[in-house]
Amino acid sequence: MKMKTLKSMWGHKALYLILLPGLAWYVIFCYLPMFNTSSGGILLAFKEFRNNMPFSEMQWVGLKWFERLMNKPDFWIALTNTFKISFLRLIFEFPMPVVIAILLNEVRRYKPKRIFQTILTFPNFLSWVLVLGVLRDLLQVSGLLNGLRVAMGADPVNYLNNSDWLSNMLMVLLTNVWKSAGWGSIIYLASISGIDPSLYEAATIDGAGRWKCILHVTWPGIRSTAVVLLVLSCGNILNAGFDQLFNLRAALNIEHLDILDTYIYRYAFGMGKMNFGFTVAAGLFKSVVNFALLLTANKAAGWLSGETVF
Amino acid sequence: MKSAKRPIHTIADVLIYGFFIVLCLLIVIPFYNMVLYSITPYKEAVTTPLSLLPRGFSTVNYEMIFKDDRLVSAMLISVFNLVVGTAMAVGVTITMAYPLSRAIPFRRTLFYFGIFTMFFNAGIIPWYLVMRDIGMINSLFAMTVPSMLSTFNLILMRNYFLSIPDSLEESARIDGAGDFIIMVRIFVPLSLPIIATIGLFYAVWFWNDWWYPLMLIPSQKMMPLPLFLRNLVIENSIRMVDPNIGGTTDYLKTTSRGSQMAAVTVATLPILCVYPLVQKYFAKGIMLGAIKA
């Protein structure tokens, strides 16, 4: 290390000192679980877990748990569900905040704009427990939605415990749009507010109507934000929304809504605690694939549009 | 407003307003329905069909849930988490974000040290074992400390600090102020919009979180409000039934739904009250913080 660097560090010793609590937090709560010698961290994926036995004495089992994972049909079901749900989210949920932001920007009056924005962003601040608590009364058999169905002569449907794939997907997508689409639009509105108003004036003088202004001024102004967010969502494909799906699962929909995270939880805490090696392997598989997807998406975004996140 | 100069097409405006009014109704109606159900007297709830019109008024559901010690203690624990957690989280986020926004050696490396954890984590079992080993199970601080820092908020905070002109720091330095004084006296007061924003994010997080308590707090006595609600509404493993009121099982069943709605209303209310007050800071806070992220 160069003398100059050391000198500069000494000169800023107060800054390093106040950095310490945060740094210590990351070490203890994020990095120790990955690597440590007492409980083993992610290396548990390659060991035979025994309760009350120190990590160093547990037997190495190589790739046993990964092989078992690959041979389990329910793992493949959870993995395909994860991909299906994530892709549906990318196709149907991802554009919603963009649409809301563009249209909200077209609301010219300040007051209604504020009111719309306040109402639309609010549900994001409730947990999934509360959101489902609120929506449950609409979705259940004796709920409002079924009241409408019955009034129109159809049979009531229990949306919350249902074996139909399409109905489950609709419920997952719509409840998430209900909760998060408005909030997601905030970041696009931020980008829109950064667009130079003279661009709109110039476009108008050139004869562009409202639609043309959206297409040639607003959209180019938020495209880079959209790319960044798309990259981040691609890096999150294997996540698929644990909070939501964990609280939505019921006896009949589990085959459609079981994703990797709920699968790992089920094996880790739902069926006795002897599955530790197996679930650590599943978690490690997920983290590694997720990370690889993120890097790939980042590269792909670089090729396609010249914008990258990292 | 400059945008007012753009052309106005009446039909388009009507469509856009209509679109947003429908969306807003879709959000407001479920809340309205929830509150309505929680104040509907038992008799009307059972005998009259569902409707969006008020069917009488009764506070029996609220009286019942506040008689339940478990709910009251869950609320107290949640208030503790909210206050202590938010204070710690905002403090640590500021003290970590500030050095990362200054020109110090290794700041990039240190920043990526945090960012990496957004995309790669150990998984629940290795994490759980470490939490167990450092004594977090059934600890009062298990609901705040392990979930204290959000890397996303750290990025917002750091980017906001970066947007403050360096000249302010330089002039303070000429006056003889050290790094710490500059942060506390100059940067923090200038960053109140983003501090309010991330403060709200953290407060809402601690008020809402059920996952960390589910993992780390097996004790029923220390259950915070969100976990209590989860057991009440989602898992149906808690029933709020006062044997002193009512007789038939039918009655018990109905009021349990009414009391669920009352409990959810009570948990939603604080967020509903604080949110519009803080919302005005979002504009400034997020916009500067997020664009560079």
Side-chain angles (χ1 to χ4, degrees):
Chain A
M1 208 187 292
K2 285 191 194 133
M3 211 49 214
K4 213 175 125 198
T5 321
L6 276 177
K7 223 170 179 174
S8 158
M9 285 177 77
W10 182 249
H12 289 294
K13 52 186 182 302
L15 289 183
Y16 287 100
L17 209 63
I18 58 175
L19 191 71
L20 272 182
L23 216 54
W25 185 88
Y26 273 105
V27 170
I28 296 172
F29 294 98
C30 297
Y31 286 94
L32 266 188
M34 288 183 212
F35 312 103
N36 70 79
T37 47
S38 92
S39 58
I42 50 183
L43 288 180
L44 274 177
F46 308 96
K47 287 240 182 178
E48 180 80 50
F49 184 83
R50 291 259 181 278
N51 220 353
N52 302 324
M53 186 193 262
F55 173 72
S56 52
E57 285 170 31
M58 292 176 204
Q59 211 187 344
W60 290 100
V61 291
L63 295 175
K64 175 182 164 188
W65 300 121
F66 291 92
E67 275 166 30
R68 177 162 302 179
L69 200 63
M70 297 301 145
N71 289 329
K72 273 196 171 283
D74 57 353
F75 168 73
W76 291 104
I77 293 175
L79 189 65
T80 25
N81 282 342
T82 310
F83 277 115
K84 278 184 198 160
I85 293 173
S86 280
F87 279 119
L88 287 175
R89 285 199 201 282
L90 280 180
I91 296 166
F92 295 106
E93 288 179 7
F94 186 81
M96 292 305 273
V98 181
V99 174
I100 291 176
I102 290 177
L103 290 180
L104 209 52
N105 185 50
E106 295 298 315
V107 176
R108 304 303 162 60
R109 281 168 195 270
Y110 180 71
K111 205 132 193 198
K113 194 172 172 175
R114 262 295 289 281
I115 295 172
F116 291 153
Q117 202 179 336
T118 308
I119 295 177
L120 292 176
T121 46
F122 176 70
N124 183 62
F125 290 87
L126 305 178
S127 67
W128 271 109
V129 171
L130 290 179
V131 167
L132 293 176
V134 174
L135 294 182
R136 224 173 168 70
D137 216 51
L138 300 184
L139 297 170
Q140 62 196 2
V141 183
S142 54
L144 270 182
L145 222 54
N146 275 311
L148 271 177
R149 276 183 72 97
V150 173
M152 289 189 301
D155 289 330
V157 173
N158 186 357
Y159 295 102
L160 294 166
N161 189 10
N162 191 320
S163 60
D164 182 48
W165 182 78
L166 190 66
S167 143
N168 273 303
M169 290 304 115
L170 277 176
M171 181 179 64
V172 167
L173 295 176
L174 289 176
T175 52
N176 197 33
V177 166
W178 190 87
K179 181 180 192 287
S180 343
W183 176 248
S185 71
I186 291 265
I187 195 158
Y188 293 107
L189 284 166
S191 311
I192 291 176
S193 73
I195 298 174
D196 186 351
S198 64
L199 288 177
Y200 286 106
E201 282 161 28
T204 314
I205 291 166
D206 288 347
R210 204 168 197 173
W211 172 244
K212 284 267 158 87
C213 278
I214 292 176
L215 211 60
H216 298 296
V217 183
T218 313
W219 169 241
I222 57 176
R223 195 170 46 206
S224 61
T225 309
V227 170
V228 169
L229 292 179
L230 194 63
V231 169
L232 293 177
S233 336
C234 288
N236 267 325
I237 277 183
L238 290 191
N239 284 333
F242 174 82
D243 271 16
Q244 181 191 16
L245 297 165
F246 188 69
N247 286 315
L248 273 175
R249 64 193 184 144
L252 291 178
N253 64 25
I254 191 94
E255 56 169 325
H256 302 309
L257 300 187
D258 196 23
I259 56 166
L260 269 183
D261 282 325
T262 52
Y263 179 83
I264 292 168
Y265 180 86
R266 239 160 17 95
Y267 273 89
F269 295 102
M271 313 181 172
K273 292 201 174 178
M274 283 298 103
N275 292 306
F276 276 16
F278 175 71
T279 45
V280 176
L284 185 57
F285 169 85
K286 197 200 131 198
S287 278
V288 170
V289 175
N290 232 356
F291 200 62
L293 282 173
L294 180 77
L295 295 182
T296 317
N298 191 42
K299 267 265 169 347
W303 285 330
L304 290 175
S305 68
E307 319 248 6
T308 58
V309 182
F310 303 102
Chain B
M1 291 287 278
K2 285 199 176 94
S3 57
K5 284 181 188 163
R6 283 188 272 153
I8 290 176
H9 300 289
T10 328
I11 299 171
D13 277 323
V14 168
L15 285 176
I16 290 167
Y17 274 77
F19 172 77
F20 281 114
I21 289 169
V22 169
L23 277 191
C24 288
L25 282 178
L26 284 176
I27 286 171
V28 171
I29 287 175
F31 288 107
Y32 171 77
N33 180 54
M34 163 185 85
V35 176
L36 196 66
Y37 203 97
S38 73
I39 56 163
T40 303
Y42 157 70
K43 209 176 140 199
E44 279 75 9
V46 180
T47 51
T48 57
L50 276 173
S51 92
L52 285 177
L53 300 171
R55 292 167 283 168
F57 177 80
S58 134
T59 54
V60 65
N61 288 320
Y62 289 92
E63 281 162 28
M64 200 160 92
I65 62 170
F66 280 109
K67 261 190 226 156
D68 192 314
D69 290 342
R70 294 170 304 175
L71 180 88
V72 176
S73 103
M75 286 190 82
L76 288 177
I77 287 179
S78 274
V79 170
F80 174 84
N81 290 345
L82 174 88
V83 174
V84 175
T86 310
M88 288 194 300
V90 170
V92 177
T93 307
I94 291 174
T95 55
M96 180 142 189
Y98 181 69
L100 293 180
S101 73
R102 300 297 98 195
I104 57 170
F106 303 111
R107 70 160 177 174
R108 231 185 140 68
T109 318
L110 289 166
F111 192 44
Y112 278 105
F113 187 73
I115 301 235
F116 180 70
T117 61
M118 277 175 106
F119 302 105
F120 193 93
N121 61 64
I124 47 173
I125 297 289
W127 174 82
Y128 180 82
L129 292 174
V130 169
M131 292 308 110
R132 190 192 63 187
D133 293 349
I134 61 175
M136 278 292 163
I137 307 297
N138 276 337
S139 150
L140 187 56
F141 289 95
M143 293 173 275
T144 46
V145 176
S147 53
M148 193 168 74
L149 258 182
S150 142
T151 307
F152 177 76
N153 290 349
L154 181 74
I155 297 172
L156 286 183
M157 194 72 227
R158 171 184 172 268
N159 287 347
Y160 200 93
F161 281 144
L162 279 176
S163 74
I164 295 174
D166 289 335
S167 53
L168 288 173
E169 187 189 344
E170 283 152 25
S171 56
R173 210 169 282 284
I174 292 166
D175 292 343
D179 281 322
F180 188 73
I181 299 291
I182 294 174
M183 177 185 90
V184 176
R185 292 274 173 80
I186 295 175
F187 280 78
V188 169
L190 285 175
S191 309
L192 289 181
I194 190 72
I195 292 174
T197 306
I198 66 166
L200 177 80
F201 289 171
Y202 279 128
V204 166
W205 162 262
F206 289 122
W207 184 253
N208 276 337
D209 180 43
W210 49 273
W211 166 249
Y212 283 81
L214 180 69
M215 295 272 80
L216 301 175
I217 311 286
S219 157
Q220 296 276 320
K221 278 185 202 151
M222 286 176 61
M223 197 186 278
L225 187 62
L227 194 54
F228 182 85
L229 288 173
R230 205 185 109 76
N231 290 339
L232 181 77
V233 181
I234 311 271
E235 301 273 306
N236 283 312
S237 60
I238 291 182
R239 292 239 176 262
M240 281 209 187
V241 171
D242 191 333
N244 298 321
I245 327 174
T248 65
T249 44
D250 194 14
Y251 179 91
L252 298 178
K253 201 172 131 208
T254 319
T255 39
S256 90
R257 193 166 146 211
S259 63
Q260 281 182 8
M261 287 295 120
V264 174
T265 307
V266 167
T268 311
L269 217 56
I271 307 178
L272 193 62
C273 294
V274 179
Y275 173 71
L277 300 178
V278 187
Q279 203 229 4
K280 62 170 185 249
Y281 293 111
F282 285 169
K284 273 188 186 167
I286 307 270
M287 308 215 166
L288 273 171
I291 291 169
K292 287 183 209 137

